[in-house]
Amino acid sequence: INWAEEINVPVYIIHSRYDEMVSVTQAEEMSKKLQSLGKDVTVKFYEDNVHGLHPEDAETIVDWLNQKLPTTE
């Protein structure tokens, strides 16, 4: 939540709802704060307890980056 006002780039939050290492509350609060500030935030929650990325996240992240990054053409 701290410094959310200072974020001026797109943000993609991926989190598992039952992660035992990092509470999902942190991701929920940050995404709500960014949204309330009108920031460009994408959120994906999984209904599991994985602490880390899922295999399908690589393709999703690349697609998201391709949408968000400026083209050089």
Side-chain angles (χ1 to χ4, degrees):
I1 303 297
N2 297 327
W3 304 99
E5 298 85 2
E6 304 297 321
I7 296 174
N8 294 311
V9 296
V11 175
Y12 193 175
I13 297 173
I14 301 172
H15 207 288
S16 292
R17 291 204 180 274
Y18 306 105
D19 185 332
E20 295 176 358
M21 298 184 78
V22 178
S23 172
V24 70
T25 305
Q26 293 180 37
E28 291 170 335
E29 289 178 3
M30 180 57 93
S31 64
K32 287 177 187 174
K33 180 68 173 182
L34 292 170
Q35 290 169 346
S36 74
L37 294 168
K39 305 292 183 171
D40 184 354
V41 59
T42 302
V43 182
K44 182 174 187 176
F45 291 110
Y46 284 102
E47 299 296 325
D48 61 22
N49 67 346
V50 173
H51 179 78
L53 297 175
H54 291 70
E56 63 271 20
D57 288 335
E59 184 176 343
T60 303
I61 292 168
V62 168
D63 291 344
W64 181 83
L65 286 169
N66 285 332
Q67 292 175 7
K68 301 298 179 177
L69 292 175
T71 60
T72 58
E73 297 175 23

